[in-house]
Amino acid sequence: MSRVLVTGGASGLGAALVARFVAEGHQVLSTDVAAESTPPAGAEYRQLNVRDAGDWDKAVAWCEENWGGLDILVNNAGIATGGRIDVESLDEWDRVVDINLMGVVRGCRAFTPLFKRQRSGHIVNTASAAGLVHPPMMSSYNTVKAGVVALSETLSHELHPYGVTVSVVCPSFFRTNLGDSIQGEDLEMRATARKLIEKSPRTADEIAANVIAGIKKHQFLIIPDRPALLAWRTKRFARPLYDRQMRKIAARARDRAESPKQAAGDR
């Protein structure tokens, strides 16, 4: 039985992971930005804002005081964002960097001293297929998720001498409430992202099941669905095809943005 902390545990993939960890008999602390939330029976909940270093310090103290340590840290909290580089605001860039990238950095920094003392631990960072493949009109999201992949690989080497394992999770779109977090000025990108999320045939529970299977195997790179795996393999092994696909997406977006109907709607 492992002691597990999950950020962003009140909804979406985080909630699905919490439920599956509990069902397998683990001790689970679900955390999220909300002051209160009702986790599944068998789990506990506490507020944790991943942007607040003080909240992270309190989470470490809670784990030490109540459990005597921690076995698995799941840095899952995040938001959806994106937009054309000349449309998305710098404020939105600051927001997504602070939550999706620095939120993970804060979690890793907070728990690494504990894991080093234990000479054990497993850090699981939720990135995205967007951390491996980089479609147009998603520069901010691609950038932070690629950063999470880079951070995870770095720590997988850095912490190996201490017996600490690191995994990074890279799913494609799946049905969740992530679309509710999309803000920003690029309304076309917001609508497209929401449609891709809501119309995906994959559920958060299906993704969570594959993630936990990867954690059990101590895989570094966990790609939990076929579309993400195919996209990654295409980029690695058929780069000209990958580039053509990305540029077709960009061309369609240009045509929509420059159409008379769209231009009238922008005014």
Side-chain angles (χ1 to χ4, degrees):
M1 181 174 67
S2 295
R3 302 159 294 181
V4 185
L5 186 154
V6 180
T7 68
S11 63
L13 179 59
L17 288 168
V18 168
R20 283 196 167 266
F21 276 123
V22 169
E24 294 190 4
H26 302 293
Q27 292 178 289
V28 183
L29 177 62
S30 173
T31 72
D32 213 303
V33 69
E36 296 182 359
S37 180
T38 303
E44 301 191 58
Y45 178 84
R46 70 174 289 118
Q47 184 178 29
L48 193 164
N49 182 347
V50 298
R51 307 174 82 171
D52 187 332
D55 277 8
W56 278 110
D57 291 340
K58 293 174 185 175
V60 174
W62 188 98
C63 291
E64 291 185 298
E65 292 167 6
N66 291 275
W67 289 345
L70 186 72
D71 300 304
I72 302 174
L73 167 66
V74 184
N75 286 308
N76 172 76
I79 59 171
T81 187
R84 291 160 288 180
I85 189 64
D86 54 337
V87 179
E88 187 177 15
S89 71
L90 291 178
D91 286 343
E92 186 63 11
W93 270 87
D94 289 341
R95 176 173 174 260
V96 71
V97 168
D98 200 26
I99 296 173
N100 286 19
L101 179 56
M102 293 308 299
V104 177
V105 171
R106 293 184 191 99
C108 293
R109 280 179 53 84
F111 275 94
T112 287
L114 171 61
F115 286 156
K116 284 183 174 181
R117 291 196 300 271
Q118 293 178 166
R119 290 296 194 272
S120 67
H122 193 157
I123 298 172
V124 181
N125 295 328
T126 298
S128 167
L132 304 174
V133 298
H134 307 127
M137 289 78 69
M138 292 178 57
S139 55
S140 63
Y141 194 73
N142 293 345
T143 298
V144 294
K145 292 303 185 179
V148 171
V149 174
L151 171 68
S152 301
E153 181 179 343
T154 301
L155 296 185
S156 73
H157 303 310
E158 181 177 327
L159 300 181
H160 183 267
Y162 297 93
V164 179
T165 304
V166 180
S167 297
V168 62
V169 179
C170 296
S172 63
F173 292 103
F174 58 94
R175 293 197 305 277
T176 179
N177 64 337
L178 188 64
D180 295 339
S181 67
I182 302 174
Q183 298 180 14
E185 298 176 10
D186 196 333
L187 301 182
E188 181 180 339
M189 179 60 199
R190 287 168 58 179
T192 300
R194 181 178 288 275
K195 183 183 298 184
L196 289 169
I197 293 168
E198 294 175 350
K199 292 191 174 183
S200 171
R202 293 167 295 280
T203 67
D205 187 62
E206 291 168 347
I207 298 297
N210 292 332
V211 170
I212 289 180
I215 293 172
K216 289 178 179 178
K217 296 175 184 177
H218 288 86
Q219 292 178 348
F220 166 70
L221 181 59
I222 301 175
I223 303 179
D225 60 272
R226 183 172 174 79
L229 183 60
L230 288 175
W232 177 65
R233 286 178 173 172
T234 300
K235 181 177 180 178
R236 290 190 69 195
F237 302 116
R239 184 59 186 254
L241 174 59
Y242 167 82
D243 287 341
R244 286 198 299 272
Q245 292 173 335
M246 294 297 109
R247 287 165 187 172
K248 285 180 180 178
I249 294 171
R252 288 197 296 268
R254 177 205 59 197
D255 292 343
R256 289 195 302 270
E258 295 181 358
S259 69
K261 183 177 178 181
Q262 182 66 38
D266 287 342
R267 287 198 293 269

